[in-house]
Amino acid sequence: LCGPVATTAAAGPNSAGTLILHAVRADELSTDPDTCGTVPLAACASATVSTDEFEILIVYVLVAFPEGAEPRLSGVTFGIEYPEQVSVFSWETCGDFDLGTATWPSSGSGTATTWVSAKTDPLVTVGALSVLADENATAQLSLTSHPLHGATLADDSVPSNVDPIRTLGALGFGTDGVLPCPVPDGACCHFDGSCEVTLESECTGIGDRWAGEFVSCDAAACPPPPQGACCEPDDDCVVRSEASCLERGGTYQGDSTECGPGPCDPQPTGACCSWLGLCELRTESDCGYSGGTFFGLDSVCEPGPCVTGPCCFDDSCVMATEEGCGSYGGIFRSEDTSCEPNPCADGACCYDDEICRFLSMAQCDALSGVFLGTGIVCGPGICADSPGACCVANGDCRLLLESECEQEGGYYVLPDEPCAPDPCAFRDECGWNETLGEWVERIRQVRATQRGLEGRGPEAQLPEVLGGSVPPGVQGDCGSVLFNADGTF
């Protein structure tokens, strides 16, 4: 069995072979038929692969080669599959040696058959199965790959050329079968200069050329791929094919280009600042492609030309160039020089009626102001007095001006703060120890923080009401979430 299990890369003389079935009623044969003496059919196209006969059949397994081929068949490996409606009683080999798996010819098993002398006919009988299908069955007996060695054809070379069987046939009971009569193959010259033996219909890649029926790759003499100048990563220029150039990380300059002066000469560079302020020497095009700022040809990175400052993304701070900060949607803090302390934790603070300054929350509290939220900038009318939620002494919520709220003895939340949901409702039965004033101060911080987060993308928005956990130690089903002023809860 050395033939069927040996492997080489080159296509052998059996590369176009297929494996087919041909069914004959047992009672149509002589009482002592010579299964392997003569080929049971004249040509592949006349094979019977579909039957409505539910009697014992002799099913021949044959290797078929296209007209004009010059096969040299010394071995074949294959398997069979069939459903419960089909019974296979026996197998008679036509080889000089046959080795089936332990359960051959059961469904899912396989066998290997070899001949001492190579077979050169266009139809070679491998063997015959005795088969019976249940009456009115609709099923197929199919040729498949050997469970261990695949579906292969081997020649008599040493070592053997082993080719995969091109296509496998099937016998249909009450349904169509499969008859894969062989088609000539030949050398397919690929664009990159490589070659493989295949069908003409499969030689369809861009630039591929089929050399003709039964033409070997040696005979096809496929031309090498076009070449051109390749600029390698170290700026050396070497004439290569495009595929070879790209494999080495080079830049292909085009077919038939030469390595004369020019194509791979180092390009002039200059200082390029990344948006984070890192300076590198780059070409102008590379700098622009990476989103950097180019300072001109022959400019240098020492002393550093990259001026950075705090760039705010919500309450996060990174040092970046002003141009880079803006291109990524940040807010550049030109008045600050460092991210320590974090200038991005500041926000609009309203105090003394309508004065607005960009301060930290602690600075705003020291001025008895209202902190409108991290990152909120001061703008016209942002601190103008307008009606908002006022928590009066009995815990009711009313929409009043801040001055009116004070006159009522209430606690003002924020301008334009609605009373729905009610910011004044706090649950003393849940165990809160705060007064109404302390509660409103907490709500004011929460709403100011929410205002700072709203409008910065759906992932950052906080809903008005959330159900969930309560602070530790609180008893009862309070059903509320306590927000801290920094947005945590």
Side-chain angles (χ1 to χ4, degrees):
L1 291 179
C2 62
V5 298
T7 58
T8 62
N14 305 318
S15 62
T18 63
L19 198 63
I20 66 170
L21 295 175
H22 169 56
V24 179
R25 282 178 49 176
D27 59 9
E28 293 179 354
L29 300 175
S30 62
T31 55
D32 186 20
D34 183 5
T35 302
C36 304
T38 58
V39 178
L41 71 162
C44 174
S46 60
T48 299
V49 295
S50 179
T51 180
D52 293 327
E53 299 285 349
F54 298 101
E55 299 182 15
I56 294 178
L57 301 175
I58 303 301
V59 180
Y60 293 93
V61 180
L62 302 103
V63 180
F65 296 100
E67 184 178 352
E70 296 180 355
R72 297 194 61 82
L73 180 65
S74 67
V76 56
T77 61
F78 67 98
I80 57 173
E81 286 185 359
Y82 50 88
E84 294 180 353
Q85 299 98 308
V86 177
S87 300
V88 176
F89 301 108
S90 64
W91 162 253
E92 181 179 354
T93 181
C94 294
D96 296 319
F97 186 80
D98 189 87
L99 180 63
T101 56
T103 59
W104 173 258
S106 65
S107 181
S109 64
T111 191
T113 302
T114 61
W115 293 267
V116 174
S117 299
K119 301 294 183 180
T120 59
D121 296 325
L123 287 171
V124 179
T125 306
V126 180
L129 300 160
S130 297
V131 181
L132 177 65
D134 293 348
E135 188 172 356
N136 298 322
T138 302
Q140 279 189 340
L141 184 149
S142 301
L143 295 168
T144 62
S145 294
H146 189 288
L148 299 176
H149 304 300
T152 63
L153 303 174
D155 71 359
D156 57 347
S157 300
V158 179
S160 289
N161 289 298
V162 178
D163 295 293
I165 297 175
R166 180 78 69 183
T167 319
L168 298 164
L171 174 64
F173 296 91
T175 186
D176 292 336
V178 177
L179 180 58
C181 290
V183 177
D185 56 15
C188 178
C189 294
H190 297 304
F191 177 74
D192 62 0
S194 62
C195 177
E196 66 174 331
V197 174
T198 185
L199 299 176
E200 183 178 11
S201 60
E202 296 176 356
C203 187
T204 57
I206 296 176
D208 287 353
R209 178 180 62 84
W210 199 59
E213 296 180 0
F214 308 117
V215 176
S216 68
C217 281
D218 289 341
C222 297
Q227 295 184 326
C230 173
C231 296
E232 299 191 334
D234 58 1
D235 293 327
D236 284 346
C237 183
V238 181
V239 174
R240 300 185 185 277
S241 68
E242 182 176 9
S244 177
C245 182
L246 296 179
E247 285 176 1
R248 291 167 170 78
T251 303
Y252 190 63
Q253 302 299 309
D255 295 346
S256 303
T257 53
E258 301 291 341
C259 276
C264 300
D265 292 345
Q267 299 297 308
T269 61
C272 174
C273 284
S274 71
W275 78 281
L276 292 175
L278 177 66
C279 184
E280 294 180 309
L281 292 178
R282 292 192 172 194
T283 65
E284 184 172 5
S285 59
D286 284 347
C287 184
Y289 182 76
S290 65
T293 302
F294 191 67
F295 286 88
L297 296 178
D298 300 324
S299 58
V300 295
C301 283
E302 295 295 340
C306 307
V307 178
T308 60
C311 178
C312 295
F313 297 91
D314 295 336
D315 58 355
S316 298
C317 181
V318 295
M319 296 298 291
T321 64
E322 183 172 4
E323 181 179 351
C325 179
S327 66
Y328 283 93
I331 298 175
F332 191 72
R333 294 292 302 272
S334 57
E335 67 273 22
D336 295 294
T337 59
S338 172
C339 282
E340 295 295 337
N342 184 5
C344 304
D346 295 351
C349 173
C350 294
Y351 67 98
D352 291 348
D353 294 334
E354 296 187 9
I355 298 176
C356 180
R357 289 179 60 191
F358 200 73
L359 302 171
S360 69
M361 185 178 293
Q363 292 170 327
C364 190
D365 288 343
L367 294 173
S368 300
V370 177
F371 187 71
L372 299 186
T374 299
I376 298 297
V377 296
C378 292
I382 194 170
C383 297
D385 194 15
S386 60
C390 173
C391 299
V392 296
N394 66 357
D396 290 343
C397 182
R398 300 179 187 175
L399 289 175
L400 300 172
L401 297 174
E402 186 172 10
S403 57
E404 295 173 336
C405 185
E406 292 176 355
Q407 292 174 3
E408 293 284 338
Y411 301 93
Y412 190 67
V413 183
L414 287 173
D416 301 317
E417 184 68 22
C419 280
D422 188 355
C424 305
F426 72 113
R427 306 287 292 277
D428 53 1
E429 69 269 21
C430 287
W432 299 109
N433 296 319
E434 290 110 326
T435 64
L436 178 60
E438 292 170 333
W439 173 260
V440 172
E441 176 60 26
R442 192 182 301 276
I443 291 295
R444 182 183 298 117
Q445 291 184 6
V446 170
R447 288 301 297 128
T449 301
Q450 287 179 311
R451 290 184 180 189
L453 294 173
E454 287 168 357
R456 301 190 187 183
E459 70 282 359
Q461 293 180 3
L462 298 177
E464 296 286 350
V465 178
L466 293 177
S469 61
V470 296
V474 176
Q475 303 299 316
D477 182 15
C478 301
S480 62
V481 171
L482 177 65
F483 283 93
N484 296 317
D486 62 357
T488 60
F489 62 90

